[in-house]
Amino acid sequence: MEIVILAVVIAVVVLGALGGLIVGSRRRKPLPPPPPKAPDITAPPAEPHVGEEAETPRDEPRRTIEEVDLPGGPAPVVVEEPPVAEAPEIEIEVPEPTAGRLVRLRARLSRSQNALGQGLLTLLSREHLDEDTWEEIEDTLLTADVGVQPTQELVERLRERVKVLGTRTPEELRGLLREELLKLVGTDLDRTVKTEPEDRKPGIVMVVGVNGTGKTTTTGKLARVLVADGRTVVLGAADTFRAAAADQLQTWGERVGAHTVRGPEAGDPASVAFDAVKEGKEMGVDVVLIDTAGRLHTKTGLMDELGKVKRVVEKHAPLDEVLLVLDATTGQNGLVQARVFAEVVDITGIALTKLDGTAKGGIVVAVQRELGVPVKLVGLGEGADDLAPFEPEAFVDALIGD
């Protein structure tokens, strides 16, 4: 019996010890981390406020404060937006005044044209003016692209005046030649570019010519001439078949603050011209300049298209000016182009480009005789302000030199 009691006591002691070990080991294990606290939403942040944009440097991403629902209420969350690219600012240029521009460009003109005037003065200064000398004078004029009929007229007048004059001093010869060349060029022609109709606005100018003559560039430079004289301008990019033409014209316009109307590439030129005049009227500008396509003049269909542009524009109002742009270096070939364009549209004025290069000054006389219309503008270089109103006196003075 005692043995049984002793066994029970030992068992109780052993079980108690084991229980204590288990409890102690459990107490020594680390407790898990506490759960994260919910954000404190009782007080909103002072800056930035909900719905406002955070102030960031110009080139940094823009951050916008938005609200996101969380347990316990909405909380502000920063959402980044890509930076917005700013359009580059275009500086508006102030063109050079047009008054006396040809006089200022006289040196550039005389460098290429002196051969005609100086050649004639040298021949006329000979002591004996025989038939051979007069033939040389004729050849000099013809080489300068004056044309056959104007050359004959000038030689006849020179013969008569030299015969009456007798003894000829250099000053007398220079004055004589200047007078006769002025008669040939013409001082009584109206060379004003018509842009101010009395009964309406805007004035409408259409610019025509073969590609390569500087037609689009001349249109852009003419816009500068008009802006320099205080006029407002809309440009119509109706040359839709040459990919760079509209971009080129728009660049010229942006430089002086002129609006450009353009259409889709290879679109209807007449539609662009029509819209340009329409927008010009709505904007109340002074002048609308329309640059037209200038493909080869031998393609009849394209010339018919030019006639269509003219007819469509005239649904708004009559054209005030049709300027034909000619490359002065092409000489007699330019006259062929002039004839074809004159058959399609009524040319009212001529703009001669590249007159500062290898051009012969006599082309001024020849083209006026051919078309019966005056040269109104001359291009004397690549600069933006190298287009000048044509002034006969300044031109002749550049021909014969000082």
Side-chain angles (χ1 to χ4, degrees):
M1 187 67 182
E2 292 178 358
I3 296 173
V4 173
I5 294 172
L6 181 60
V8 171
V9 172
I10 293 172
V12 171
V13 172
V14 171
L15 290 173
L18 290 175
L21 290 173
I22 292 172
V23 171
S25 64
R26 286 181 178 176
R27 287 178 181 176
R28 285 193 298 270
K29 288 183 180 180
L31 294 176
K37 294 182 179 181
D40 185 6
I41 59 173
T42 57
E47 289 186 0
H49 297 290
V50 175
E52 294 183 355
E53 294 183 353
E55 294 185 2
T56 59
R58 182 173 298 177
D59 296 332
E60 293 294 325
R62 182 180 298 176
R63 296 181 296 168
T64 302
I65 306 303
E66 297 181 357
E67 291 186 353
V68 176
D69 290 333
L70 293 177
V77 177
V78 176
V79 179
E80 293 190 353
E81 298 179 358
V84 179
E86 295 184 357
E89 295 184 1
I90 299 175
E91 184 178 353
I92 304 299
E93 300 177 9
V94 180
E96 179 183 347
T98 59
R101 185 179 288 186
L102 187 58
V103 175
R104 294 193 296 275
L105 297 172
R106 176 180 164 184
R108 186 176 302 167
L109 179 62
S110 62
R111 281 198 296 269
S112 60
Q113 304 303 325
N114 251 344
L116 172 59
Q118 293 301 321
L120 291 175
L121 282 173
T122 299
L123 292 171
L124 290 171
S125 297
R126 290 181 180 176
E127 187 175 351
H128 300 288
L129 297 179
D130 54 17
E131 289 300 320
D132 290 339
T133 302
W134 287 112
E135 286 183 8
E136 287 184 56
I137 292 174
E138 285 189 4
D139 291 341
T140 300
L141 292 167
L142 291 172
T143 303
D145 288 331
V146 173
V148 176
Q149 185 176 350
T151 292
Q152 292 175 346
E153 293 177 7
L154 179 58
V155 169
E156 285 301 316
R157 291 202 300 266
L158 286 173
R159 274 178 177 265
E160 292 177 5
R161 295 195 63 177
V162 167
K163 185 177 180 180
V164 172
L165 189 61
T167 304
R168 306 174 302 280
T169 65
E171 292 75 15
E172 290 173 331
L173 283 176
R174 187 180 301 277
L176 170 65
L177 186 57
R178 186 179 189 276
E179 289 178 17
E180 294 301 329
L181 286 174
L182 279 174
K183 289 180 183 178
L184 205 60
V185 172
T187 57
D188 56 346
L189 299 174
D190 183 4
R191 301 182 187 275
T192 306
V193 179
K194 299 294 189 298
T195 57
E196 301 182 59
E198 296 180 358
D199 56 341
R200 59 180 168 80
K201 259 187 169 184
I204 307 172
V205 179
M206 187 165 75
V207 184
V208 302
V210 175
N211 282 343
T213 59
K215 177 176 51 60
T216 300
T217 299
T218 299
T219 305
K221 289 183 178 182
L222 178 56
R224 293 180 67 88
V225 168
L226 294 170
V227 170
D229 290 339
R231 320 297 301 288
T232 52
V233 179
V234 162
L235 297 171
D239 185 355
T240 60
F241 294 94
R242 188 164 63 89
D247 292 338
Q248 183 182 359
L249 191 65
Q250 183 167 347
T251 299
W252 278 104
E254 288 173 346
R255 289 177 180 175
V256 292
H259 175 61
T260 300
V261 177
R262 53 189 298 177
E265 187 175 339
D268 182 18
S271 176
V272 175
F274 184 87
D275 290 341
V277 178
K278 179 181 177 182
E279 290 194 31
K281 292 174 70 174
E282 292 173 350
M283 295 172 65
V285 300
D286 297 314
V287 187
V288 174
L289 297 179
I290 302 171
D291 178 35
T292 60
R295 278 67 45 82
L296 292 177
H297 61 281
T298 53
K299 297 181 179 180
T300 307
L302 299 176
M303 298 305 293
D304 291 343
E305 185 180 86
L306 186 62
K308 175 187 174 184
V309 172
K310 179 178 181 291
R311 293 191 300 273
V312 168
V313 168
E314 289 181 332
K315 291 182 179 179
H316 279 297
L319 284 169
D320 299 290
E321 190 84 63
V322 179
L323 286 175
L324 172 63
V325 179
L326 291 177
D327 183 342
T329 63
T330 60
Q332 296 298 315
N333 289 334
L335 299 183
V336 177
Q337 299 171 7
R339 294 189 196 105
V340 177
F341 277 98
E343 293 172 0
V344 180
V345 290
D346 298 324
I347 305 298
T348 59
I350 302 156
L352 274 179
T353 63
K354 307 177 187 178
L355 199 57
D356 61 318
T358 59
K360 316 296 196 325
I363 191 65
V364 171
V365 176
V367 73
Q368 288 184 158
R369 288 292 185 94
E370 180 65 34
L371 296 181
V373 296
V375 171
K376 295 189 173 183
L377 298 165
V378 288
L380 297 167
E382 300 297 328
D385 293 318
D386 288 344
L387 183 73
F390 184 75
E391 301 167 22
E393 291 83 2
F395 178 73
V396 170
D397 288 340
L399 287 184
I400 62 177
D402 295 326

